[in-house]
Amino acid sequence: MIYNALDSEVKLRAMEPEDLDWLYRIENNPDLWTVGATNVPYSRYALHDYIANSSNDIYSDRQVRFIIENYKGNVVGIVDLVNFDPQHLRAEVGIVIENKFRQHGYASMALKLVASYAKDVLHLHQLYAIVDATNEASTGLFGKMGYVSVGRLTEWLYDGRNFSDAKVMQFFL
């Protein structure tokens, strides 16, 4: 599946077996564990199995992951819709852009595309993100994309040494 807009310099596509090494590097980067829902490394086998067995159907998997490619065909990041709730028509969005591709506007373009996909294809009513309150880059990105901070979760995130608060940021489609 490829989701793209004519004015975008990125496209969203399903994960392929060729993405295994890239995904292994991202999923096993301890610097990213505090922004996600896991804090343990993944084996290549587990990630290979995930890619092979993912149906890419948000209704059965309750999530969908998109690889973000730039106009040159480089994998620059990943954007997820997780915690999909079909009854209430919402999903949580998460995004990671590889360090060397940050500050090029790829995250903004990918969030715009995933919002269009969520609205036009999935017919969702809202997206939300849970962001470390001290992560100014992420709160700024989501704010720029129209997400509004609607709450604070005290000591919500743990990095192995310290707890930090999280902001709940919400976007209506």
Side-chain angles (χ1 to χ4, degrees):
M1 165 190 352
I2 296 176
Y3 198 75
N4 197 352
L6 294 176
D7 63 341
S8 181
E9 294 183 24
V10 300
K11 68 178 177 181
L12 306 181
R13 65 164 176 80
M15 289 185 296
E16 298 288 348
E18 296 79 20
D19 298 318
L20 179 61
D21 290 336
W22 184 87
L23 189 62
Y24 181 81
R25 192 172 67 251
I26 293 297
E27 292 289 356
N28 289 302
N29 180 346
D31 294 337
L32 298 175
W33 290 350
T34 59
V35 298
T38 187
N39 60 358
V40 296
Y42 284 96
S43 69
R44 283 186 191 283
Y45 176 80
L47 292 171
H48 179 273
D49 190 53
Y50 174 78
I51 292 171
N53 293 312
S54 175
S55 69
N56 285 323
D57 178 4
I58 197 167
Y59 289 93
S60 61
D61 295 341
R62 294 293 192 240
Q63 67 177 6
V64 64
R65 303 187 87 181
F66 293 106
I67 296 294
I68 306 165
E69 281 187 1
N70 67 9
Y71 64 97
K72 294 180 179 178
N74 297 317
V75 174
V76 300
I78 191 165
V79 62
D80 305 325
L81 293 176
V82 299
N83 297 324
F84 170 64
D85 187 330
Q87 178 181 355
H88 300 293
L89 301 174
R90 66 177 172 239
E92 181 180 349
V93 64
I95 188 166
V96 173
I97 301 295
E98 202 166 359
N99 285 341
K100 65 184 176 181
F101 293 110
R102 291 182 182 168
Q103 303 299 315
H104 291 92
Y106 296 135
S108 297
M109 289 181 267
L111 286 175
K112 183 178 177 182
L113 286 176
V114 84
S116 293
Y117 175 80
K119 179 181 180 184
D120 300 339
V121 177
L122 300 175
H123 308 291
L124 297 185
H125 174 64
Q126 63 181 290
L127 297 174
Y128 67 94
I130 298 176
V131 181
D132 186 319
T134 64
N135 187 336
E136 293 177 11
S138 288
T139 55
L141 167 67
F142 283 103
K144 181 175 88 172
M145 298 309 299
Y147 286 70
V148 176
S149 181
V150 295
R152 190 175 191 98
L153 302 168
T154 305
E155 296 185 4
W156 193 256
L157 303 170
Y158 184 63
D159 67 5
R161 292 180 303 257
N162 300 301
F163 285 94
S164 61
D165 293 357
K167 289 183 180 181
V168 178
M169 301 188 76
Q170 186 176 33
F171 180 70
F172 290 95
L173 299 168

